[in-house]
Each structure stands twice: as structure tokens, then as C-alpha cells.
Amino acid sequence: MSCSKAAIINISTGVASITENSSGGIYPYRASKAALNMITSNLSLDLKSDGILCTAIHPGWVKTDLGGPNALISTEESVKGMMPVLEKLRGDAESGKFYHGVKGHVIFRG
């Protein structure tokens, strides 16, 4: 099981965190990403016996149409940050987790 084999990598967001919600608002976006995190966690359990890694990654606050001009990083910086995180996903110990793609730490363990 690794990211270099069969893997499902979902793009989530830090604002989907229930414990780290300090601003409220944007209900549909937060709820859909929280649901995505639950799906990722469930898939990691259901597909473990098939050796398929399932994880979610937060790309950072990116300067896109959604992130807007005040976002912190470019799309290039986001991808550069996520690649080392994805490369270290080597086994089922990493499956089911939610990673910060730029900082590399685990935001949530499924």
C-alpha cells in the first residue's frame, strides 16, 4: 500500500475541521468537505484489504477563484508542498488520515 500504487487522494480543506472552527459560516462548503473526510475515512477501512491507500490532503489557502486574491500561496507553491507529503504515504499507517499539504502534519486521524 502506497501512493505510488492504487490510491485515492481527496482534496479537502482545513475549514472542514469541527474542532478548529472559529469563524462559522460557509455551511455548504464546510459540510461537503466534512462529508468528504468521513468518506475518506470509511474508504480507508473498506479498501484496506485490497491494499488501496485512501487519504485526504489540505492544499493550503490557494490563490484561485475560490481562494481569492488574499489567499496565502500560489497553485505552484501548493503543489510543491503537497508532493513530498504524498511521496511519504507508504503504508496502511498513513491511510485514513487528513494531511496539511503544505506543512505536512496530520490534521485528523480517521
Side-chain angles (χ1 to χ4, degrees):
M1 180 182 285
S2 78
C3 191
S4 64
K5 296 182 181 178
I8 297 170
I9 310 297
N10 290 318
I11 304 297
S12 191
T13 177
V15 300
S17 171
I18 294 169
T19 58
E20 296 180 19
N21 183 358
S22 62
S23 63
I26 55 177
Y27 293 93
Y29 184 69
R30 287 179 189 269
S32 68
K33 292 297 188 173
L36 177 69
N37 293 345
M38 177 57 77
I39 290 167
T40 303
S41 180
N42 285 346
L43 284 171
S44 75
L45 298 171
D46 292 340
L47 299 175
K48 183 177 183 176
S49 63
D50 295 319
I52 299 173
L53 183 139
C54 302
T55 195
I57 192 163
H58 168 51
W61 188 20
V62 185
K63 293 178 184 176
T64 62
D65 289 343
L66 179 63
N70 295 327
L72 300 177
I73 60 174
S74 69
T75 54
E76 292 82 7
E77 291 169 308
S78 176
V79 172
K80 276 186 182 177
M82 287 191 290
M83 292 311 294
V85 175
L86 295 174
E87 289 171 0
K88 76 177 183 179
L89 303 179
R90 297 281 176 213
D92 71 342
E94 289 85 23
S95 195
K97 295 181 179 158
F98 178 23
Y99 290 89
H100 192 292
V102 178
K103 298 178 181 175
H105 67 272
V106 174
I107 296 173
F108 172 81
R109 297 178 191 329

